[in-house]
Structures are given as structure tokens and as C-alpha cells.
């Protein structure tokens, strides 16, 4: 499996779910200034073709439903990167009634990028780290999601009707 | 500007007072809101900018503020009405200014103010909301956050994410 992981790390397609203000840091990363294509990462249009789910910013419960649906549509192996303070502990929305505080309770986050917001340098740094981690088989959040499906669904069910918003939920 | 306000006062008989350059306000009774807005629209306040609501919990009132804009005279007029907080019902103005339909829908959802005659008071932004309207001041946001979302670290964490460390 290690040889597969090695190749996986070299070519990653990223689905960026731009909910919050963090999306503004993505254009410099994608375009010629920082140019993430140097590292084999390009933005992808649909969840079914993507490897990385990048969540840039706060998630309201309303958007979390859509994110979970998106995540479950992606093919394994897949990785989740939480971007910015909002995904870590709520950030400046720590007392908002509408947004979730800790993303790792609902989705298996492989890597967090701290900061409000993280600069393109930090994003590049995280991508390089992710690439290395994937090549060495360190990041296996998608396996944890399958193994602990009930635990994740229990957390999600506290906020909304999981039957309606999950793919293939029995 | 002042000429226009004086003229407006004479024509409509309303007690408008100027607050700033380009800004004036006016307080009317809840029953007169439709008539007032009709009069003002005839005088050239063609743009309905927004509708806001303020929760004066101590006085047990909701204050609705209708923001109007006069394009030629460049006057932003705020028409304020007070309504009872326990029975928040007011007549709609959505047939006078059609855009008010959406603003009334928002105020209905965030404050629970009912607009009699608005044809489209269906749920707006919130999904699966079972509490009292969230922008009311007696809605305890922190309590709700504490109940709904976990903010403390769990000891039996199933999966601990890694951090990008900078050192």
C-alpha cells in the first residue's frame, strides 16, 4: 500500500468549500503568486473527483449538512483540512447560535491550519505537510470515519436529521 | 434640505425632525403606518431601503424602523413605530413597497413579529429552528451554544486531528 500512498501524495485534487471569509486567501494560493500546482494540487469542481475537502471558515449548521453530504459523496481515500480558527473552536463566532464550534466532532479532520486567517504561506506549508503525510500513510481520517461512523452520526444527529442529509444511511 | 423637510411637514402634517445632514426621523402610531408610508411615497420616497426591528425588552416593545430614501432630495427618512412585545402584530406594507415582503419575512423569523396581510411569510433562513426567535433579547445565546455545541476538549476523543506546528 505504501507505493500507492506515495503516488497519491503527488497528485491531489482539492474541493474547496468556501463558506467563510477564508476563501479570499485561496486565489493567491491557486494562481501564479504561490502556485500550488507546483505541488500537484489543483482545484476540482465536483466532490466525486476530489481528494481533499478544504473547509475555509465557519460552518453554520445549515452548511454543515451540505458539507457532510459533499464529504460522503467523495471517493476514498479522502482528506479533510480545516482552515482557520472558526473550524478549530468557533473563532470569532464562539457564541453564535448558528455555527458549529469544533469541526472534528462531525468530520474526521486530518489537518488544521490555525490562524484568523492563515496567510497563503501557511496554506502552502500545510499542503506540503499534507502531501508528506499522505505519502507516508499518516493521514487516515477517512478510515476513522468508516470505523466510527456511529459516533460521528451521533454527534451530527444532535444538530439535524442525519437520515435526510447522509448518503446511504440505513 | 431643510426647505424640503418643512414642505414635507406642511403637506403631510407629520412631525419630522432632522437628525443629520441627509437624515431625518419620524415617529408615528402603529395604526398610521400604512397611511404615512402611502403619503410619503406620493411625496417621492420611492425607495424602501430596509426594515429593522429593535427589541426594547425593558419597555416591552418592539420598535420597527422603516428606512426610506428620497432620491431627488437625497433624504434618508426613518419612520419608527412601537408595537407591543407580547402581541407583536402589525399591518403589512408589502403592497405599498413590494420589497418590504422579504424584509418582513426576515423580521418575522428573527423577532417573531407578525405582519397581517403579507402573502409570503414563509420560513426564510433558519432551518429546523425550534427555539424562540434568535434575535430576541430573552433568547440566551450562550446557554443555547452550551447545550448544542461542545466546546470543551473530550477525553475520549476518537480521532485527534493533527496540527500544523510552527517552530
Amino acid at each position: 500500500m505504501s507505493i500507492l500512498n506515495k503516488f497519491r501524495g503527488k497528485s491531489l485534487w482539492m474541493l474547496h468549500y468556501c463558506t467563510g471569509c477564508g476563501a479570499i486567501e485561496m486565489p493567491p494560493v491557486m494562481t501564479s503568486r504561490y502556485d500550488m500546482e507546483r505541488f500537484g494540487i489543483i482545484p476540482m469542481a465536483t466532490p466525486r473527483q476530489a481528494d481533499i475537502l478544504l473547509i475555509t471558515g465557519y460552518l453554520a449548521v445549515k452548511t454543515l449538512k451540505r458539507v457532510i453530504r459533499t464529504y460522503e459523496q467523495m471517493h476514498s481515500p479522502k482528506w479533510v483540512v480545516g482552515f482557520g480558527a472558526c473550524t478549530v473552536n468557533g473563532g470569532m463566532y464562539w457564541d453564535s447560535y448558528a455555527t458549529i464550534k469544533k469541526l472534528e466532532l462531525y468530520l474526521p479532520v486530518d489537518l488544521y491550519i490555525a490562524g484568523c486567517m492563515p496567510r497563503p504561506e501557511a496554506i502552502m506549508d500545510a499542503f506540503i505537510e499534507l502531501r508528506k503525510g499522505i505519502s507516508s500513510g499518516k493521514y487516515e481520517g477517512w478510515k476513522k470515519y468508516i470505523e466510527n461512523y456511529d459516533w460521528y452520526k451521533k454527534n451530527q444527529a444532535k444538530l439535524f436529521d442525519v437520515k435526510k442529509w447522509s448518503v446511504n444511511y440505513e | 434640505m431643510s426647505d424640503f423637510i418643512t414642505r414635507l411637514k406642511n403637506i403631510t402634517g407629520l412631525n419630522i425632525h432632522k437628525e443629520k445632514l441627509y437624515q431625518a426621523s419620524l415617529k408615528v402610531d402603529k395604526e398610521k403606518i400604512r397611511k404615512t408610508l402611502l403619503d410619503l411615497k406620493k411625496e417621492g420616497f420611492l425607495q424602501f431601503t430596509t426594515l429593522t426591528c429593535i427589541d426594547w425588552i425593558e419597555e416591552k416593545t418592539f420598535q420597527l424602523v422603516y428606512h426610506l430614501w428620497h432620491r431627488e432630495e437625497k433624504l434618508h427618512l426613518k419612520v419608527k413605530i412601537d408595537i407591543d412585545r407580547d402581541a407583536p402584530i402589525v399591518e403589512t406594507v408589502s403592497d405599498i413597497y413590494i420589497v418590504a415582503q422579504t424584509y418582513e419575512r426576515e423580521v418575522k423569523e428573527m423577532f417573531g413579529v407578525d405582519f397581517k396581510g403579507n402573502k409570503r411569510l414563509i420560513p426564510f433562513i433558519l432551518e429546523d429552528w425550534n427555539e424562540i426567535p434568535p434575535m430576541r433579547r430573552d433568547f440566551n445565546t450562550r446557554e443555547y451554544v452550551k447545550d448544542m455545541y461542545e466546546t470543551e476538549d473530550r477525553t475520549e476523543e476518537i480521532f485527534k486531528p493533527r496540527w500544523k506546528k510552527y517552530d
Side-chain angles (χ1 to χ4, degrees):
Chain A
M1 284 305 277
S2 62
I3 189 84
L4 267 180
N5 281 334
K6 193 172 163 59
F7 293 131
R8 273 171 190 157
K10 302 260 179 207
S11 161
L12 295 165
W13 286 358
M14 176 195 72
L15 184 73
H16 46 295
Y17 196 92
C18 297
T19 54
C21 39
I24 205 70
E25 301 292 343
M26 291 313 293
V29 182
M30 290 173 191
T31 50
S32 53
R33 179 71 177 85
Y34 291 92
D35 194 14
M36 67 186 187
E37 211 173 325
R38 287 181 294 159
F39 303 103
I41 305 172
I42 55 165
M44 189 36 65
T46 72
R48 290 183 202 279
Q49 292 165 308
D51 301 304
I52 307 174
L53 178 60
L54 182 77
I55 294 168
T56 63
Y58 65 86
L59 285 174
V61 177
K62 201 172 172 178
T63 40
L64 180 72
K65 295 169 187 171
R66 275 86 181 170
V67 165
I68 284 163
R69 199 164 190 158
T70 310
Y71 178 73
E72 291 181 0
Q73 282 179 11
M74 288 165 65
H75 290 285
S76 302
K78 51 193 173 181
W79 297 274
V80 181
V81 180
F83 175 108
C86 294
T87 53
V88 178
N89 60 3
M92 62 187 280
Y93 302 100
W94 63 278
D95 64 346
S96 161
Y97 63 88
T99 62
I100 60 154
K101 311 304 166 212
K102 293 172 72 140
L103 182 60
E104 77 226 38
L105 294 176
Y106 312 104
L107 282 179
V109 182
D110 288 291
L111 192 70
Y112 272 136
I113 313 173
C116 181
M117 34 218 21
R119 297 286 303 140
E121 292 90 338
I123 304 170
M124 287 314 297
D125 213 17
F127 279 155
I128 293 163
E129 164 77 24
L130 189 72
R131 245 166 64 99
K132 278 186 204 152
I134 290 169
S135 296
S136 61
K138 199 166 76 175
Y139 293 129
E140 289 183 326
W142 54 281
K143 277 188 192 164
K144 301 275 180 190
Y145 192 74
I146 298 165
E147 283 162 17
N148 305 300
Y149 192 68
D150 293 337
W151 186 82
Y152 283 107
K153 284 296 154 193
K154 202 183 85 202
N155 288 341
Q156 291 164 11
K158 208 175 162 190
L159 303 178
F160 56 86
D161 181 11
V162 284
K163 273 185 191 158
K164 204 175 149 193
W165 286 100
S166 308
V167 182
N168 297 330
Y169 183 78
E170 281 152 25
Chain B
M1 183 53 58
S2 303
D3 295 349
F4 175 66
I5 293 179
T6 328
R7 200 145 48 88
L8 206 61
K9 271 185 192 170
N10 292 337
I11 296 168
T12 56
L14 297 167
N15 185 25
I16 302 169
H17 52 89
K18 195 176 160 184
E19 284 178 351
K20 292 173 196 165
L21 189 69
Y22 303 135
Q23 212 175 77
S25 78
L26 156 68
K27 202 158 183 181
V28 290
D29 288 340
K30 166 186 164 183
E31 289 76 23
K32 288 188 188 145
I33 182 65
R34 281 180 58 83
K35 189 185 172 299
T36 311
L37 290 199
L38 274 170
D39 285 353
L40 290 170
K41 196 178 180 183
K42 258 180 234 159
E43 295 306 320
F45 286 92
L46 293 179
Q47 184 184 324
F48 185 93
T49 311
T50 187
L51 166 66
T52 51
C53 182
I54 306 160
D55 185 0
W56 298 107
I57 197 164
E58 292 84 4
E59 283 104 61
K60 294 201 168 62
T61 53
F62 281 128
Q63 188 173 56
L64 293 180
V65 189
Y66 297 78
H67 297 257
L68 307 176
W69 174 248
H70 195 297
R71 198 169 145 193
E72 279 82 38
E73 301 288 340
K74 296 197 172 34
L75 181 66
H76 173 191
L77 185 66
K78 294 177 282 182
V79 185
K80 300 175 183 173
I81 58 169
D82 281 346
I83 55 174
D84 186 13
R85 202 171 178 282
D86 299 322
I89 302 175
V90 69
E91 280 197 75
T92 183
V93 294
S94 61
D95 47 342
I96 304 168
Y97 294 101
I98 190 75
V99 288
Q101 205 174 46
T102 309
Y103 294 118
E104 287 178 355
R105 219 172 129 197
E106 188 187 1
V107 170
K108 158 87 180 163
E109 187 160 283
M110 292 298 173
F111 291 90
V113 178
D114 215 350
F115 291 89
K116 212 163 52 185
N118 189 328
K119 288 179 190 133
R120 206 159 158 259
L121 274 186
I122 48 175
F124 188 33
I125 299 169
L126 297 175
E127 275 182 5
D128 315 329
W129 189 258
N130 303 318
E131 308 284 319
I132 59 169
M135 289 290 161
R136 284 196 180 194
R137 271 172 64 203
D138 52 358
F139 172 69
N140 193 336
T141 317
R142 295 216 178 140
E143 205 64 32
Y144 180 79
V145 168
K146 230 167 130 188
D147 290 347
M148 283 295 277
Y149 311 106
E150 289 173 50
T151 44
E152 302 298 313
D153 277 330
R154 284 198 183 191
T155 43
E156 23 77 60
E157 198 85 60
I158 289 238
F159 177 59
K160 253 215 167 332
R162 288 178 181 81
W163 286 79
K164 184 78 200 76
K165 285 207 182 82
Y166 298 100
D167 38 31

